């Protein structure tokens, strides 16, 4: 019986379990055994896995997170760990590995592919910032959660005549802030792609209140830049060299309150956006991605990543997808700006 591996790396994301389930189901048809590596690349380095079967993947569609666990382990930083990854491939006679992750996890997959290992990628991130795919699963769930939160913040902001700044996830790209902000009717949306002009933000809020509104909602992506800088929680970097973002909401709130005189509060949505059950859209997208990943393995199209293009599931070279993040286009932000204030 041939064996394939699967792993989930990086931040968790609603919809991961639908990919795992689909890969197991399709592999069964091919009579392949699926080794589910634990905690991302860490499980491959340490050869820690569970053998997936119909019983294990049964009932996991509505479950958030990942049944395999995840981590931000980066074997490319350590030649010994890269060797261990290769040994795991050899020891288990892996026919292929499905790596489900964002830019970091898939960057490792690309490196392994370049070193001759049979790897295919499945794009995952709530941030929706991976290139060459219209959507990543998890994003739809995140925008629905964030929209509901903005709706809820509206009623309390209105009751207290307050400005509420809501800090939303989005490291390089402001997709979640933009779409949840649009859907929830935020009065200002701030994203990493556009430097924050605090004078403009305060002018918009003052103008809105001058026309009789007594409350406002400002949606800000955690990666939005103040004076060209990220606002971070700690100086420490993760294994892929990323800072831990957080705090931009409070900074904006302090400035808005000081400059406008309106009482201002901040709400950080944080991991609420990543937790819990996936939407139907994310379950279906994850399922279709999993089916396509097995098809790529069957066709020996290694070094490729599954992708959603329009309504079709296709594949692209991992190298192409990892070239640059998919940012919010300026014309889309301009559209949103028409609703500010
Ligand atoms: O990449 C997805 C993401 O949710 C980013 O928006 C965020 O910066 C990051 O993960 C935070 O992840 P963690 O707290 O797990 O390190």
């Amino acid at each position: 019986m041939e064996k394939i591996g699967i792993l989930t790396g990086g931040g968790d994301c609603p919809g991961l379990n639908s990919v795992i389930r689909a890969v197991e189901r399709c592999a069964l048809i091919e009579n392949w055994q699926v080794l589910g590596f634990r905690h991302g690349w860490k499980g491959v380095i340490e050869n820690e896995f569970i053998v997936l079967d119909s019983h294990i993947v049964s009932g996991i569609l509505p479950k958030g997170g990942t049944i395999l666990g995840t981590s931000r382990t980066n074997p490319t930083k350590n030649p010994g760990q890269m060797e261990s990854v290769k040994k795991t491939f050899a020891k288990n006679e892996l026919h292929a590995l499905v790596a489900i992750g964002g830019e970091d996890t898939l960057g490792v997959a690309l490196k392994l592919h370049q070193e001759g290992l049979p790897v295919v990628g499945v794009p995952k991130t709530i941030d929706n910032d991976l290139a060459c795919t219209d959507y990543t699963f998890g994003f739809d769930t995140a925008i629905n959660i964030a929209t509901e939160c903005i709706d809820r913040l509206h009623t309390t902001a209105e009751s207290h005549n307050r400005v509420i700044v809501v800090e939303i996830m989005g490291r390089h790209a402001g997709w979640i802030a933009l779409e949840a902000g649009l859907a929830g009717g935020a009065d200002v949306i701030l994203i990493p792609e556009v430097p924050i002009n605090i004078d403009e933000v305060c002018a918009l809020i003052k103008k809105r209140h001058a026309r009789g509104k007594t409350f406002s909602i400002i949606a800000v992506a955690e990666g939005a830049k103040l004076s060209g800088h990220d606002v971070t929680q700690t100086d420490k970097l993760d294994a892929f060299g990323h800072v831990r973002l957080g705090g931009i909401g409070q900074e904006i709130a302090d400035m808005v309150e000081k400059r406008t005189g309106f009482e201002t509060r901040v709400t950080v949505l944080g991991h609420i956006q990543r937790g819990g059950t996936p939407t139907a859209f994310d379950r279906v997208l994850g399922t279709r991605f999993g089916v396509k990943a097995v098809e790529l393995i069957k066709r020996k199209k290694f070094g490729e990543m599954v992708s959603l293009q329009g309504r079709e599931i296709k594949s692209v070279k991992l190298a192409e997808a990892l070239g640059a993040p998919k940012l919010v286009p300026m014309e889309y932000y301009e559209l949103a700006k028409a609703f500010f204030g």
Side-chain angles (χ1 to χ4, degrees):
M1 186 187 257
E2 283 190 337
K3 290 179 202 162
I4 64 168
I6 186 169
L7 66 84
T8 52
D12 72 327
C13 178
L16 284 166
N17 289 327
S18 31
V19 186
I20 296 167
R21 173 178 173 271
V23 168
E24 196 280 335
R25 288 284 178 90
C26 296
L28 193 64
I29 296 168
E30 302 304 319
N31 201 27
W32 299 342
Q33 190 176 53
V34 185
L35 310 189
F37 287 95
R38 305 297 318 277
H39 310 297
W41 292 111
K42 186 169 181 284
V44 189
I45 294 165
E46 295 172 3
N47 197 25
E48 188 193 350
F49 60 82
I50 49 173
V51 176
L52 299 183
D53 59 23
S54 308
H55 176 68
I56 290 176
V57 301
S58 168
I60 65 174
L61 272 177
K63 203 170 150 59
T66 160
I67 61 162
L68 296 175
T70 186
S71 74
R72 295 193 189 274
T73 307
N74 179 7
T76 65
K77 273 178 65 181
N78 179 328
Q81 291 188 344
M82 283 299 266
E83 274 317 301
S84 300
V85 167
K86 289 175 189 168
K87 273 191 198 146
T88 295
F89 265 79
K91 190 169 179 197
N92 298 301
E93 296 176 342
L94 283 186
H95 170 54
L97 177 77
V98 180
I100 313 170
E103 50 168 347
D104 300 328
T105 305
L106 296 181
V108 178
L110 173 61
K111 181 107 178 44
L112 291 171
H113 167 67
Q114 287 163 342
E115 297 190 10
L117 294 183
V119 184
V120 298
V122 175
K124 163 249 53 155
T125 164
I126 64 162
D127 290 3
N128 196 38
D129 60 354
L130 269 168
C132 300
T133 185
D134 292 350
Y135 287 102
T136 44
F137 59 86
F139 173 66
D140 186 67
T141 307
I143 57 170
N144 278 289
I145 295 169
T147 301
E148 191 197 331
C149 291
I150 292 174
D151 290 346
R152 288 176 182 276
L153 291 172
H154 263 99
T155 61
T156 174
E158 187 170 11
S159 303
H160 287 266
N161 297 337
R162 283 174 176 159
V163 176
I164 295 189
V165 179
V166 52
E167 184 177 307
I168 293 176
M169 277 187 172
R171 177 176 287 279
H172 308 296
W175 290 103
I176 310 175
L178 185 87
E179 296 216 336
L182 265 176
D187 304 300
V188 178
I189 302 170
L190 303 169
I191 61 174
E193 292 86 340
V194 182
I196 297 172
N197 179 338
I198 198 69
D199 294 331
E200 209 178 292
V201 172
C202 292
L204 278 164
I205 299 297
K206 278 187 188 159
K207 198 168 151 205
R208 176 178 151 81
H209 289 227
R211 44 166 237 274
K213 293 288 182 186
T214 57
F215 69 97
S216 293
I217 303 288
I218 301 175
V220 58
E222 61 179 357
K225 315 263 180 294
L226 255 181
S227 318
H229 299 294
D230 280 332
V231 180
T232 59
Q233 290 181 42
T234 113
D235 290 342
K236 282 194 200 142
L237 301 180
D238 71 15
F240 289 91
H242 300 305
V243 290
R244 195 188 309 159
L245 295 170
I248 183 82
Q250 188 63 58
E251 297 215 6
I252 300 283
D254 291 346
M255 285 190 274
V256 168
E257 186 167 85
K258 202 167 164 207
R259 293 175 186 221
T260 65
F262 302 131
E263 188 182 17
T264 305
R265 292 284 195 272
V266 60
T267 297
V268 180
L269 298 189
H271 297 85
I272 295 276
Q273 294 158 99
R274 277 197 345 218
T277 193
T279 58
F281 180 91
D282 283 336
R283 297 182 200 190
V284 173
L285 184 57
T287 299
R288 294 179 75 198
F289 276 177
V291 171
K292 185 72 176 181
V294 171
E295 185 199 311
L296 291 182
I297 295 172
K298 270 166 64 183
R299 292 166 56 201
K300 298 201 183 321
K301 292 186 83 178
F302 300 121
E304 302 228 342
M305 180 189 92
V306 304
S307 95
L308 176 69
Q309 296 174 30
R311 294 187 69 83
E312 284 182 56
I313 305 292
K314 298 193 173 178
S315 70
V316 293
K317 300 258 178 256
L318 269 171
E320 198 189 327
L322 296 171
K326 180 182 68 196
L327 302 179
V328 171
M330 276 315 99
E331 55 274 28
Y332 196 7
Y333 190 65
E334 287 301 321
L335 176 151
K337 274 178 93 173
F339 297 91
F340 286 7

